[in-house]
Amino acid sequence: MQNKRILVTGAAGFIGSNICFALQEKGYDVLGLDNFSVGEKGNLKGFDGKIIDADIRNFDWASEKVNAIIHEAAITDTTVKDREMMLEVNTEAFKRLVEHCLQHNIHLVYASSAAVYGRGKVPMKEEQEKDILSHYAESKYEMDKFSQGKFAEFENKKLKLVGLRYFNVYGPREASKMKTGMASMAWQLYRQMKQGQRPRVFKHGEQTRDQVYVKDVVQATLKALEAKENGVYNVGSGKETSFNRIIEELNKQLGTRLEPEYIENPYAHYQPATLADISNTQKFLGYEPGYDIAKGIADYVQFLRRNNL
Ligand SMILES: NC(=O)c1ccc[n+]([C@@H]2O[C@H](COP(=O)([O-])OP(=O)(O)OC[C@H]3O[C@@H](n4cnc5c(N)ncnc54)[C@H](O)[C@@H]3O)[C@@H](O)[C@H]2O)c1
């Protein structure tokens, strides 16, 4: 098996923890690193690998010998106003990690974000003009640009360097993100409806997002370790889902008939729609989404029920 020993950063977070479990199931030797600023130990309950409590800004990467690193750690609160901190954690720490991987022959897959497209036209293609609306989006785009300058060097050493622009991810182990209010709409609407409240969405719930189930995100991330070509790829479902549709699927799964309550949208520049063009991801990673919104919500609600959430 290639890439036997893999380090996952952001391991105690939403996506990182799901990646840790998937790798563990496949028999990899997995190490998880997190500073627990947002992620929680509870997300790693049942994970047998080593857990490193450390900060990506000053961790000595050479202290652990690994074949590959999956880099998920980041400030994920997209509303953070401290630009310097955002760039230091998300971009600068990443640049040092890239150099380390190149020097020590380590494959690197990292989380970028669909935030780089802002209110751009849909379907969103990797090469289209970017619309940077936050420091978060800037920090991710800077990661992508830095990587683009390094693809050839990685290629020369037969190493992978792959960035993944995740769209709106939902699924198991995201509750810890409520600390920053960044959990998915699926989770927030589920919580309201579970308590018998009408689900609240901005008028009139017809805004669409590419909602991608975390199991598909994990699939794409693991496939990136075997990418045919280094690059930056979209990771979405390839489908648009309105907020009303999420509510419809939740009603089905919960056996309720709760009508949405439409509230005023205070944001002048709210994205009307996001949608991933996933043709490159299909071609170069062999990625195929397995969960449309109906299947994803059904699987998610089953998980939440099993865990009394
Ligand atoms: N969830 C989504 O919809 C989505 C969409 C696009 C991109 N992403 C990206 O995917 C990655 C994972 O996001 P997530 O949704 O799991 O969020 P998350 O907040 O649950 O995970 C991020 C983890 O990184 C850790 N972390 C933060 N700063 C750190 C530091 N300095 N040192 C070490 N650890 C640190 C946090 O404690 C947390 O556990 C992030 O890079 C995020 O930008 C997520």
Side-chain angles (χ1 to χ4, degrees):
M1 196 188 304
Q2 269 184 329
N3 305 324
K4 277 195 310 270
R5 197 157 194 256
I6 302 187
L7 172 65
V8 179
T9 73
F14 167 34
I15 300 172
S17 59
N18 282 285
I19 291 170
C20 285
F21 285 111
L23 288 169
Q24 174 170 292
E25 225 164 83
K26 287 180 184 288
Y28 289 91
D29 179 8
V30 193
L31 293 82
L33 181 148
D34 207 294
N35 72 347
F36 299 94
S37 52
V38 173
E40 290 170 2
K41 294 234 155 70
N43 283 340
L44 289 171
K45 202 167 147 232
F47 172 66
D48 304 326
K50 178 172 175 180
I51 300 175
I52 305 163
D53 185 344
D55 195 302
I56 54 167
R57 283 171 290 188
N58 52 28
F59 181 63
D60 175 13
W61 300 105
S63 65
E64 293 289 351
K65 226 177 140 20
V66 295
N67 308 105
I69 295 179
I70 296 180
H71 184 56
E72 298 289 324
I75 294 178
T76 56
D77 180 347
T78 58
T79 65
V80 164
K81 294 275 184 286
D82 185 340
R83 178 170 181 267
E84 207 177 309
M85 187 176 72
M86 184 69 91
L87 292 176
E88 179 51 32
V89 175
N90 290 8
T91 315
E92 297 308 317
F94 171 71
K95 288 182 182 173
R96 293 190 288 271
L97 178 57
V98 171
E99 298 296 358
H100 170 80
C101 288
L102 197 51
Q103 222 181 353
H104 294 87
N105 298 317
I106 299 167
H107 301 291
L108 176 61
V109 172
Y110 71 92
S112 177
S113 173
V116 301
Y117 302 122
R119 281 162 293 144
K121 65 173 173 24
V122 294
M124 289 153 161
K125 296 184 195 300
E126 285 90 350
E127 64 281 6
Q128 82 183 43
E129 204 181 315
K130 308 300 177 293
D131 182 25
I132 305 296
L133 301 171
S134 63
H135 299 319
Y136 172 76
E138 181 189 0
S139 74
K140 291 288 174 179
Y141 191 39
E142 288 302 320
M143 291 168 76
D144 292 346
K145 285 193 290 190
F146 187 76
S147 300
Q148 269 148 4
K150 296 284 172 183
F151 287 150
E153 282 175 81
F154 272 73
E155 206 74 60
N156 284 342
K157 296 186 94 178
K158 301 216 174 332
L159 289 173
K160 306 289 176 205
L161 173 59
V162 176
L164 300 170
R165 290 190 184 139
Y166 301 149
F167 278 65
N168 284 63
V169 192
Y170 67 99
R173 306 187 185 88
E174 64 168 307
S176 45
K177 292 188 75 177
M178 279 315 283
K179 266 189 216 106
T180 51
M182 288 289 141
S184 73
M185 278 302 279
W187 165 257
Q188 301 193 37
L189 294 169
Y190 170 83
R191 293 300 297 164
Q192 295 164 17
M193 294 168 74
K194 183 82 198 311
Q195 288 162 23
Q197 292 164 10
R198 287 176 60 188
R200 288 158 61 88
V201 285
F202 293 144
K203 280 178 181 172
H204 286 277
E206 287 303 318
Q207 309 88 337
T208 58
R209 295 286 178 272
D210 188 316
Q211 302 281 350
V212 57
Y213 195 47
V214 72
K215 288 187 181 175
D216 280 334
V217 167
V218 169
Q219 181 212 141
T221 308
L222 301 200
K223 284 187 168 157
L225 290 167
E226 313 288 336
K228 289 198 189 90
E229 220 172 81
N230 288 337
V232 179
Y233 301 101
N234 286 339
V235 179
S237 64
K239 296 206 170 83
E240 287 181 277
T241 302
S242 70
F243 296 137
N244 286 334
R245 178 74 200 283
I246 298 176
I247 293 168
E248 196 184 308
E249 294 303 329
L250 285 169
N251 266 324
K252 257 189 234 163
Q253 293 306 321
L254 291 168
T256 49
R257 298 175 72 169
L258 293 160
E259 290 288 332
E261 185 185 331
Y262 296 117
I263 55 177
E264 285 303 332
N265 183 349
Y267 304 106
H269 302 298
Y270 201 64
Q271 285 172 298
T274 69
L275 173 63
D277 179 321
I278 55 170
S279 46
N280 284 339
T281 328
Q282 289 170 310
K283 184 168 166 198
F284 294 104
L285 302 191
Y287 165 71
E288 274 313 325
Y291 293 83
D292 61 13
I293 194 68
K295 195 170 163 198
I297 294 283
D299 194 78
Y300 191 12
V301 171
Q302 256 183 36
F303 169 88
L304 294 169
R305 283 225 175 90
R306 274 200 310 274
N307 290 276
N308 297 318
L309 289 166

